[in-house]
Amino acid sequence: MAETALVVGTSGIVGSAAAALLAAEGWTVHGLARHPTAQAGVRPISADLQDAGNVAAALASLKPHAVFIATWSRQSTEAENIRVNAAMVRHLLDALRPAGSVRHVALVTGLKHYLGPFEAYGKGALPQTPFREEQGRLKVENFYYAQEDELFAAAARDGFGWSVHRPHTVIGKAVGNAMNMGTTLAVYAAICRELGRPFRFPGSAAQWNGLTDMTDARLLARHLLWAASTPAARNEAFNIVNGDVFRWSWMWGRIAAWLGVESAPFDGTVRPLEAQMADDSPVWERIAKRQGLVEPTLSRLASPWHTDADLGRPIEVVTDMSKSRRLGFTAYQPTDDAFFDLFTQLRKDRLIP
């Protein structure tokens, strides 16, 4: 019998990568989003997870064996993040309960599990790096914890297994995505080249000099599928990163070279992209028109605020993968290649010049 998956958030970086892998592996894949985009091998479902009735109606006839949750809705405060995002998970799992078909639910969260929510990001008492799954929760309200609690309660009630996946910054393609460092840097480089502006690292000395890691969306998709099909991974939370570590002092020059701009020296000054790119929408429109690009709206490609949050952290961030390795997940992805693959795809799809 063919396996059936419901991927929630297929318009995003993680959801689209997960749906693509599952389809390639022969699964019947249904992809849910508020505004689904066409994707080969994926049957689109339009639904708003904030509306319990809407999502129940949209999923009434669906009987998935595995569910992959890779979506969230950014709100103005962490209290609102908790209220809205917990409800989204609850509405989804309530809607799927009557069919009784679900055997596994995977939830994608991230390193804010260890670093704290945006309101307290990288502040206060943080666990030591490398971050390890057994370090547990911070003593602060966090919508990731609220999402997990909804998942755990539904699993206990309905009898399915679960997994939680905590990537570091994700590298992958999606238009209109709120957390998209790779595309943001590619667009920033194009604007710098257009204006003769220095391609400067916008973040902190701690990030420039310290070690860090990242997560390729394709690797995360493989991790999701692995956990859903590996009995030893049932009811476990995992970190998931590429497997290499690097310093931005090394990576920045490699990215600059690939994108055809000169890497400016870093003098230790934080220069947030949100400020640097605040007035760049007309510049991007001009580039897009001249180069025949398909997306002239800067805000649909670049997410400077999120890139600033990651690159401006005052602490080194490295993530331990021992838990997955011990259970047999050994896949690896060099991070510079992940960036270069993304840039190649963006150029092929005429999203960057």
Side-chain angles (χ1 to χ4, degrees):
M1 182 178 66
E3 295 284 348
T4 298
L6 173 63
V7 181
V8 182
T10 47
S11 61
I13 291 174
V14 175
S16 61
L21 176 64
L22 290 162
E25 293 290 326
W27 288 55
T28 298
V29 182
H30 300 266
L32 186 151
R34 280 181 299 175
H35 306 289
T37 53
Q39 186 174 358
V42 181
R43 304 176 185 186
I45 299 173
S46 176
D48 181 358
L49 293 180
Q50 296 186 42
D51 184 331
N54 176 257
V55 73
L59 299 178
S61 62
L62 198 65
K63 295 183 178 181
H65 303 114
V67 181
F68 303 88
I69 306 173
T71 189
W72 69 291
S73 179
R74 186 187 182 201
Q75 304 298 312
S76 59
T77 66
E78 192 59 22
E80 277 298 287
N81 275 332
I82 290 168
R83 183 185 68 80
V84 170
N85 288 283
M88 288 166 60
V89 174
R90 183 169 63 253
H91 295 161
L92 171 70
L93 298 180
D94 283 351
L96 293 169
R97 181 174 306 119
S101 62
V102 176
R103 299 195 298 263
H104 184 89
V105 178
L107 172 67
V108 179
T109 61
L111 293 197
K112 287 190 292 296
H113 181 92
Y114 308 105
L115 287 162
F118 288 119
E119 290 180 1
Y121 193 59
K123 301 175 183 177
L126 300 177
Q128 287 187 331
T129 57
F131 292 142
R132 303 176 188 274
E133 295 92 345
E134 63 266 23
Q135 289 168 324
R137 294 180 175 183
L138 302 174
K139 295 180 179 179
V140 61
E141 295 296 308
N142 189 324
F143 83 86
Y144 282 172
Y145 307 160
Q147 288 182 309
E148 287 182 344
D149 288 343
E150 293 290 345
L151 173 64
F152 301 158
R157 180 181 59 236
D158 299 336
F160 58 76
W162 55 265
S163 58
V164 174
H165 304 256
R166 299 170 187 157
H168 198 168
T169 305
V170 177
I171 303 169
K173 181 200 163 192
V175 176
N177 192 270
M179 303 168 71
N180 196 343
M181 181 189 288
T183 305
T184 299
L185 295 180
V187 168
Y188 172 54
I191 291 171
C192 288
R193 189 168 58 246
E194 176 79 5
L195 299 178
R197 180 190 297 171
F199 183 66
R200 294 189 183 278
F201 181 72
S204 67
Q207 290 300 302
W208 180 257
N209 295 314
L211 292 172
T212 193
D213 47 32
M214 294 184 73
T215 307
D216 188 308
R218 299 167 299 181
L219 187 79
L220 174 51
R222 293 170 67 183
H223 197 247
L224 290 165
L225 176 56
W226 167 79
S229 54
T230 300
R234 181 183 173 94
N235 298 347
E236 296 285 351
F238 297 101
N239 297 330
I240 170 62
V241 287
N242 288 336
D244 62 348
V245 294
F246 64 91
R247 303 180 199 276
W248 277 106
S249 56
W250 174 81
M251 184 68 78
W252 194 253
R254 291 183 63 75
I255 288 174
W258 200 100
L259 294 171
V261 291
E262 186 175 349
S263 175
F266 178 65
D267 63 5
T269 303
V270 177
R271 294 180 173 88
L273 288 180
E274 194 162 25
Q276 286 196 55
M277 301 177 72
D279 300 319
D280 285 343
S281 290
V283 180
W284 182 253
E285 288 181 17
R286 183 171 74 236
I287 295 170
K289 182 177 181 180
R290 187 178 69 245
Q291 299 283 348
L293 304 182
V294 298
E295 182 51 73
T297 303
L298 179 61
S299 62
R300 285 184 51 76
L301 292 176
S303 54
W305 69 272
H306 181 258
T307 300
D308 287 339
D310 278 1
L311 297 183
R313 287 183 301 219
I315 57 172
E316 180 178 270
V317 176
V318 181
T319 316
D320 182 68
M321 277 285 291
S322 297
K323 189 175 185 180
S324 293
R325 302 298 189 222
R326 287 189 177 104
L327 295 179
F329 184 81
T330 58
Y332 166 81
Q333 170 64 57
T335 300
D336 51 347
D337 287 349
F339 274 119
F340 302 158
D341 289 349
L342 171 63
F343 299 154
T344 299
Q345 187 65 48
L346 293 174
R347 189 166 284 172
K348 178 183 177 183
D349 294 342
R350 293 172 37 237
L351 286 164
I352 63 171

